[in-house]
Amino acid sequence: LFGPDGYLYFGLGDGGGAGDPEGNGQNPETLLGGLLRFDVDGADGDLIPDDNPFVGRPGRDELWAIGLRNPWRFSFDRRTGDLYLADVGQSRREEINFVPAGSGAGRNFGWNIWEGSLRYRDGEAVSEVTFPVAEYATGSEGCSVTGGYVYRGRRLPQLEGVYLYSDYCAGTLWALWRDGDSWRSAELLQTDLRVTSFGEDADGELYIVDHRSSIFRLVPR
């Protein structure tokens, strides 16, 4: 999707295999496990923005961030430009990451050294990991996080500025918001949906995509 800077962002998983056996998440020489950034209007067909973090240094020029397992899905707050990125866990943690607008280039989200806030494997230390602002247990609370959007519509003013996300297995709709210097997450609605994606219309209203071929719009009760 396009970010507030006009560039195209493209998320890739680590390539498969339990635990990222190829180590792609921590390897800037591959695009797998990374968040890519392109300038589709680049002069003379040059798709790489000059300020991508690996331009002029070891690593793939297309990369904007690394350390992802399966980014599903990410979005920008249409009002602030902040990035919210859900990353599907391996076996213990489903996570939501947050990157303030105007920052984030070169960030490392930790996989496969970290799974959420839990150490996944021993080995080399990774400095300056961006840890999630919200997470929940894989298995007991869901199986596969589905990232959504920050609500900026008019139908549900009580949700103004609140990020909504769900899980494919649990069907729970969660709300996430900043409370001073910390973050709070709460269950908003329990459904029987298999939530695979969210949508946002021109007015900022949100939609939920069910794997069984239905689309639902959030409205007041």
Side-chain angles (χ1 to χ4, degrees), residues 1-3 5-10 36-40:
L1 54 81
F2 285 96
D5 54 9
Y7 294 139
L8 179 67
Y9 290 75
F10 190 94
L36 286 53
R37 180 174 178 252
F38 300 100
D39 179 5
V40 298

Side-chain angles (χ1 to χ4, degrees), residues 25-47:
Q26 292 299 311
N27 181 8
E29 297 295 340
T30 178
L31 300 181
L32 295 173
L35 188 60
L36 286 53
R37 180 174 178 252
F38 300 100
D39 179 5
V40 298
D41 297 318
D44 300 322
D46 183 7
L47 295 176

Side-chain angles (χ1 to χ4, degrees), residues 50-94:
D50 292 337
D51 59 349
N52 271 9
F54 291 99
V55 172
R57 53 178 286 200
R60 294 291 297 269
D61 291 349
E62 299 94 332
L63 288 170
W64 188 77
I66 65 171
L68 296 170
R69 181 181 178 272
N70 179 9
W72 193 265
R73 306 178 57 99
F74 64 93
S75 64
F76 293 93
D77 183 339
R78 62 193 295 161
R79 183 164 299 169
T80 67
D82 297 332
L83 170 67
Y84 290 77
L85 187 151
D87 199 17
V88 178
Q90 177 64 52
S91 58
R92 294 191 295 172
R93 282 291 185 268
E94 307 295 315

Side-chain angles (χ1 to χ4, degrees), residues 12 15 20 24 38 54 58 66 78 81 83 85 91 94-95 99 103 107-108 123 128 130 133-134 139 151 175 180 186:
L12 285 176
D20 187 17
N24 292 324
F38 300 100
F54 291 99
I66 65 171
R78 62 193 295 161
L83 170 67
L85 187 151
S91 58
E94 307 295 315
E95 64 183 84
V99 179
S103 67
R107 291 207 181 202
N108 186 341
E128 299 182 358
T130 295
V133 296
Y151 182 78

Side-chain angles (χ1 to χ4, degrees), residues 27-220:
N27 181 8
E29 297 295 340
T30 178
L31 300 181
L32 295 173
L35 188 60
L36 286 53
R37 180 174 178 252
F38 300 100
D39 179 5
V40 298
D41 297 318
D44 300 322
D46 183 7
L47 295 176
I48 308 300
D50 292 337
D51 59 349
N52 271 9
F54 291 99
V55 172
R57 53 178 286 200
R60 294 291 297 269
D61 291 349
E62 299 94 332
L63 288 170
W64 188 77
I66 65 171
L68 296 170
R69 181 181 178 272
N70 179 9
W72 193 265
R73 306 178 57 99
F74 64 93
S75 64
F76 293 93
D77 183 339
R78 62 193 295 161
R79 183 164 299 169
T80 67
D82 297 332
L83 170 67
Y84 290 77
L85 187 151
D87 199 17
V88 178
Q90 177 64 52
S91 58
R92 294 191 295 172
R93 282 291 185 268
E94 307 295 315
E95 64 183 84
I96 303 292
N97 296 282
F98 172 79
V99 179
S103 67
R107 291 207 181 202
N108 186 341
F109 294 103
W111 177 253
N112 67 353
I113 305 296
W114 296 88
E115 184 181 1
S117 63
L118 301 179
R119 185 81 179 196
Y120 182 77
R121 67 177 177 89
D122 296 327
E124 69 275 16
V126 177
S127 62
E128 299 182 358
V129 171
T130 295
F131 289 104
V133 296
E135 60 184 332
Y136 60 93
T138 305
S140 61
E141 298 183 70
C143 75
S144 180
V145 66
T146 301
Y149 290 87
V150 174
Y151 182 78
R152 295 298 184 185
R154 296 182 179 179
R155 292 175 177 267
L156 300 164
Q158 67 272 29
L159 294 180
E160 167 65 24
V162 174
Y163 176 75
L164 303 179
Y165 64 102
S166 188
D167 183 276
Y168 177 77
C169 293
T172 308
L173 182 64
W174 284 288
L176 175 68
W177 68 96
R178 192 195 292 269
D179 184 8
D181 294 331
S182 60
W183 290 82
R184 296 180 62 187
S185 184
E187 181 178 316
L188 190 64
L189 183 67
Q190 187 62 51
T191 78
D192 61 355
L193 305 179
R194 293 286 188 178
V195 181
T196 55
S197 189
F198 286 79
E200 181 186 40
D201 67 20
D203 295 322
E205 303 299 335
L206 297 188
Y207 300 77
I208 298 175
V209 180
D210 177 43
H211 194 201
R212 292 162 294 195
S213 303
S214 297
I215 298 176
F216 298 86
R217 185 175 65 180
L218 291 178
V219 298

